[in-house]
């Protein structure tokens, strides 16, 4: 058991909230700082199904990657409806707090992009864009394979390592050796990847126009799914709480693992 504010502070020490991008909203977003926490549910998103799961399992806290309240959200009312504010209502009604980690978990060492780089088999890894002058902190990662692979073989390995249900590719006709990764979706990073001499860019999702850009840039694409490129990173906040508060029960949700699949 621990107070909610103590859990938030412990997470902030390892995954600093101020590493977030300016547009983002992270940290303790819902809850009573003095509430006692005995059980925590971890999920990529806070949806109604996740809130119900937390309620059924007796979890007083959800730790998620995507914020339940966006920074650009103008909240004029909090009602029990189907809006994002409605989820805030249901969290409060059920006594469930929310700590959300987003772009700070993307940038921190050992977070989203380091885990994605490991899943891609990369070594000599460094950020695409460093943050705060730190050589190992920032958005995206660039690294190299031990030996070149065909795009098809590389993409299959990425899918398997991420336990994904699908993968999309654009084949620029290049072997895969120097790779840039960006979990989730930041498609403009493809330009930094190309400028850095990468032959392949791995990410979660991209709009059509960036697929077209990849063809013009002559760079391979591996689109491995927003969920699958980010969900593994929840092991980091889980490890923080496990180390600091060993008496708290930790539960990893799998409800959204197959929200997108193939037929």
């Amino acid at each position: 058991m621990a107070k909610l504010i103590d859990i938030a502070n412990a997470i902030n020490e390892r995954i600093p909230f101020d590493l977030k991008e300016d547009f983002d909203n992270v940290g303790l977003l819902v809850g009573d700082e003095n509430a006692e926490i005995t059980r925590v549910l971890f999920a990529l998103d806070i949806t109604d199904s996740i809130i119900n799961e937390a309620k059924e399992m007796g979890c007083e806290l959800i730790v998620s990657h995507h914020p339940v309240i966006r920074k650009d959200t103008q909240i004029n009312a909090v009602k029990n409806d189907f809006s994002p504010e409605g989820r805030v209502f249901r969290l409060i009604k059920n006594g469930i707090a929310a700590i959300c980690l987003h772009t700070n978990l993307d940038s921190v060492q050992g977070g989203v992009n380091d885990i994605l780089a490991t899943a891609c088999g990369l070594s000599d890894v460094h950020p695409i864009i460093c943050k705060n002058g730190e050589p190992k902190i920032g958005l995206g990662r660039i690294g190299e394979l031990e030996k070149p692979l065909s795009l098809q073989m590389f993409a299959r390995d990425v899918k398997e390592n991420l336990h994904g249900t699908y993968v999309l590719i654009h084949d620029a006709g290049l072997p895969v050796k120097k790779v840039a990764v960006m979990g989730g979706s930041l498609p403009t990073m493809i330009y930094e990847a190309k400028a850095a001499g990468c032959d392949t860019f791995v990410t979660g999702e991209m709009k059509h126009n960036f697929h077209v850009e990849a063809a013009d840039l002559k760079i391979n694409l591996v689109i491995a799914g927003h969920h699958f490129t980010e969900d593994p990173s929840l092991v980091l906040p889980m490890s923080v709480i496990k180390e600091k508060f060993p008496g708290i029960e930790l539960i990893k949700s799998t409800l959204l693992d197959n929200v997108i699949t193939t037929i």
Side-chain angles (χ1 to χ4, degrees):
M1 181 180 295
K3 289 188 181 297
L4 177 60
I5 188 60
D6 294 331
I7 294 174
N9 288 338
I11 292 175
N12 186 40
E13 287 178 10
R14 177 62 181 85
I15 312 167
F17 300 145
D18 63 8
L19 286 181
K20 71 177 181 65
E21 297 300 299
D22 291 340
F23 66 82
D24 211 357
N25 190 31
V26 306
L28 175 53
L29 302 188
V30 179
D32 177 356
E33 292 185 345
N34 292 311
E36 296 287 350
I37 306 299
T38 63
R39 187 174 293 174
V40 182
L41 182 68
F42 295 80
L44 194 66
D45 297 272
I46 297 179
T47 63
D48 280 318
S49 61
I50 295 297
I51 293 170
N52 289 335
E53 183 182 22
K55 179 182 177 181
E56 291 171 2
M57 293 189 170
C59 298
E60 306 95 348
L61 169 63
I62 300 172
V63 175
S64 73
H65 182 55
H66 294 132
V68 68
I69 305 171
R70 293 171 57 92
K71 186 176 181 180
D72 59 4
T73 300
Q74 183 177 351
I75 298 180
N76 295 314
V78 179
K79 300 182 291 184
N80 190 22
D81 57 20
F82 292 104
S83 68
E85 294 81 9
R87 289 174 179 153
V88 175
F89 175 92
R90 288 183 284 281
L91 285 168
I92 295 171
K93 178 182 178 181
N94 290 292
I96 301 170
I99 295 176
C100 303
L101 308 168
H102 194 208
T103 51
N104 58 319
L105 187 56
D106 291 336
S107 287
V108 75
Q109 187 175 5
V112 169
N113 289 298
D114 280 322
I115 291 172
L116 180 54
T118 298
C120 291
L122 305 182
S123 57
D124 299 322
V125 172
H126 59 86
I128 299 175
I129 300 176
C130 292
K131 196 172 184 69
N132 299 340
E134 295 288 339
K136 295 187 177 181
I137 294 174
L139 290 176
R141 295 293 186 269
I142 292 174
E144 298 202 20
L145 297 177
E146 182 179 350
K147 60 182 180 179
L149 292 175
S150 70
L151 179 61
Q152 289 76 14
M153 183 174 293
F154 173 74
R156 284 195 295 268
D157 287 347
V158 172
K159 176 185 173 183
E160 181 178 340
N161 291 339
L162 292 176
H163 305 289
T165 58
Y166 69 95
V167 65
L168 307 175
I169 63 171
H170 165 70
D171 193 339
L174 302 171
V176 180
K177 184 67 166 66
K178 187 173 184 180
V179 180
V181 306
M182 181 67 215
S185 179
L186 187 56
T188 54
M189 202 67 85
I190 193 173
Y191 301 114
E192 282 80 3
K194 179 65 178 181
C198 295
D199 49 69
T200 304
F201 181 54
V202 179
T203 191
E205 62 176 311
M206 300 180 87
K207 291 183 178 180
H208 169 77
N209 60 300
F210 286 101
H211 289 254
V212 174
E213 284 291 292
D216 273 352
L217 292 171
K218 294 180 173 55
I219 187 171
N220 298 322
L221 281 183
V222 176
I223 313 297
H226 198 124
H227 177 90
F228 298 110
T229 58
E230 291 185 331
D231 190 65
S233 67
L234 290 172
V235 299
L236 183 56
M238 289 182 75
S239 69
V240 170
I241 297 177
K242 182 178 181 179
E243 179 181 350
K244 294 282 188 177
F245 310 102
I248 293 179
E249 185 176 352
L250 309 180
I251 301 168
K252 173 65 173 64
S253 178
T254 59
L255 282 182
L256 302 179
D257 283 1
N258 293 315
V259 69
I260 296 178
T261 187
T262 55
I263 59 173

